[in-house]
Amino acid sequence: MNPPEPALRSVSVPADEAVPDYVRDLEQAATYLPEEQRLLLRRAWAVGAAAHVGQTRKSGEPYITHPVAVARVLAEQHVDVETLVAAILHDTIEDTPLTREELAGQFGETVAELVDGVTKLDKLKFQDRQEAAAESFRKMLLAMARDLRVILIKLADRLHNMRTLGAQSAEARERIARETLEIYAPIAQRLGMNLIKSELQDLGFHALHPVRHLVLEKRIRSQPLVRREAMAKIEAQLAQRLTNEGLQYRLVSRVKSPWSIYSKMQAEGKTFAQVMDVFGFRIIVPSVADCYHALGVAHSVFKPLDGRFRDFIAIPKANGYQSLHTVLFGPYGSPIEVQIRTEEMDLIAERGIAAHWAYKHGGSPNSAQTRAHSWIANLLESQRATGSSLEFLENVKVDLFPDEVYLFTPKGDILSLPRNSTALDFAYAVHTDVGNQSVAARVDRKLVPLRTKLVSGQKVEIITAKSSSPKPQWLEFVVTSKARTAIRHQLKHLEHEDAVQLGHRMLDRALEDLGSSLERLPTALLEAYLAEYRYPRLEELLADIALGNRMPSQVAQALAKQGADLPQPPGNVRVPRDGDRILITGNERGVVTFAQCCMPIPGDEIMGYHTAGRGIVVHRLDCPNVAEYRKSPERWVAIGWDREVSGDFQVALRIEVGNRPGVLAQVAAAIAQAESNIDGVEYLERDTNVAAIRFSIEVRDREHLAEVIRRVRRLGVVHGVQRV
């Protein structure tokens, strides 16, 4: 690309006759700004038009029409002039010769920072489009943390692209629409920007399912006359009663969008005819006290549906949204949703973080902005512990649930969490350390497991123990990205610690065979070995040994050859002696796995096989596969059980029973009474009289297994039990 022309740096403000209609439309939408700021918009257009000269959109229009349209979307939200200028210039750094420095020189550092925050990372090399999009998204969120206006520009950019999606190929239309529905519309909702969210959803729905969208749109427009009459009657009755009560109000009727109706039909398995609350009303009043007064009026006109009242004024949604919601029994049996809020709440509900734009240098942010900053801060905390951009993007998707549950801490503070959150999600929301040390929870004073799902209004207290640490199973039931990221991070940390400890014992054992130990090795000798094999620390080498990536005997021999104080190694690798056994406690789950072919449990005679990448795989000595491993004696690891072993271990039982109704439940009850969990049930054989069933269960040791077998054998329906 050629360097920018010097004239580009001093573009003058064009006269009225030189300004095209699309720029006039922007200026008309920005009449809330002072005249000198509107002139700045015109100058930004002139600079952008000169920079994008010769570039066109897929539709054939000059490219500059797109960023100006993006600015107009934002002007309709009444944002500040810097955001509008940055919107006009948001593609210049990426697609034109204009540099960030030139932007900063002409329009200030803030505009340059905003444009840079929106710019994609196309200049970097990624494995694929998906990774590039994820990394670009991560960068955008980091920029949002510095200045929330970045996401305003990005959402407006996406909205205009969706409005003009027809010029794209079918494949591009589907990809962009899906990304809009999965990422950008939920972000707009999370930031309280309901107007933009609703349009993004409807445009995305139209692009992905044009026929379904068309059918629903027609059905909404051609609603039966009786329902339209009902709406008019409700509106008249509500208006009359509100007026009689002396309330100042604005009464607005509204219709659900095709996407909103389609989502409800999908989620609840309903037909269009079954989705009753297609229509609704919004009552807008001057004060919070008037909101509750108007609610009483609405309930006196029509009976409310039980359990459908929500008070988002007392407990706002996570995105700052406030309103009273109630559903009324309307005439002809149609339920009608009514929302009641103040003008201020209505503005924030429609525009979210864009409402009353308050920048950090002046004014106080509205509640939507405060909550948005808090949400982004939590995302940034989780992204520091996240490995890849793709994983980070998945975590963000998890956090974009449209529904929240509102919960109370023991001190009466309110926490909002996504729908289906568990007690463990709550623990991590309080603090990462609380989550890591959780053992149980009290919900409304009742003791419950950590996997218990929570519902709004509950009071939750987390019980912790310093000795407790995250379990891999926790990942199966948490839903928040903060909990998921923290658990993964801690598991990796614990796995590394386990690997270091086990690797230390294994290398020490190998060095003992050569008459030495790690402690007796000269420091210089050890450092020379680490440097030769590019290990930054001894811990990395020890972890590699435990994970099977390096053989302890080979490392010991290499150290022996380098050390004059050590005897020469024997010619052949010696099979470990029985007295050399490494004892395991069951806590080394990150680097010690238990073979599925024989399912060893504490009390069994065991041996270990050193497997590259997996660490030590534990087998029973009587496992049929052990004979095969005898061919590689250098990979044998002599192991045994420590005096105290913790955790549950998988084992399989083959149980033969009489084939009649209720048998499975009786056997399952007997296993449960022996305090064993059932992981899986599978019928092996079955005829008219007898069935053979395989139960996969968890036990602590051989004694516990014997107790399970005893209880099962006592059942009259059981013909035989044996361990598989």
Side-chain angles (χ1 to χ4, degrees), residues 435-505:
N436 286 338
Q437 296 176 359
S438 299
V439 290
R442 282 195 185 90
V443 175
D444 293 335
R445 299 184 180 179
K446 185 180 177 184
L447 201 63
V448 299
L450 291 172
R451 64 170 60 243
T452 304
K453 288 185 179 179
L454 304 172
V455 297
S456 284
Q458 289 178 325
K459 181 180 175 182
V460 185
E461 180 186 357
I462 302 298
I463 300 163
T464 61
K466 286 188 177 179
S467 59
S468 179
S469 61
K471 316 288 187 294
Q473 305 91 290
W474 286 8
L475 290 169
E476 296 169 12
F477 58 81
V478 292
V479 301
T480 57
S481 65
K482 181 176 182 181
R484 190 173 298 280
T485 304
I487 293 165
R488 280 182 178 151
H489 178 72
Q490 192 66 6
L491 285 174
K492 283 179 187 172
H493 176 69
L494 293 173
E495 179 179 317
H496 184 72
E497 282 188 351
D498 287 344
V500 169
Q501 290 175 10
L502 185 60
H504 191 291
R505 284 145 67 189

Side-chain angles (χ1 to χ4, degrees), residues 93-127:
I93 293 179
E94 183 180 9
D95 295 334
T96 80
L98 259 183
T99 64
R100 187 189 187 287
E101 289 69 29
E102 286 177 303
L103 280 184
Q106 289 193 65
F107 298 103
E109 181 59 33
T110 300
V111 168
E113 181 81 5
L114 289 172
V115 173
D116 192 45
V118 182
T119 300
K120 299 184 189 75
L121 299 184
D122 288 350
K123 295 176 181 65
L124 299 182
K125 291 186 179 177
F126 297 103
Q127 291 175 12

Side-chain angles (χ1 to χ4, degrees), residues 374-392:
S374 173
W375 173 58
I376 292 163
N378 284 335
L379 283 182
L380 292 181
E381 183 187 332
S382 75
Q383 76 94 28
R384 289 188 195 101
T386 304
S388 68
S389 298
L390 286 171
E391 186 182 335
F392 176 56

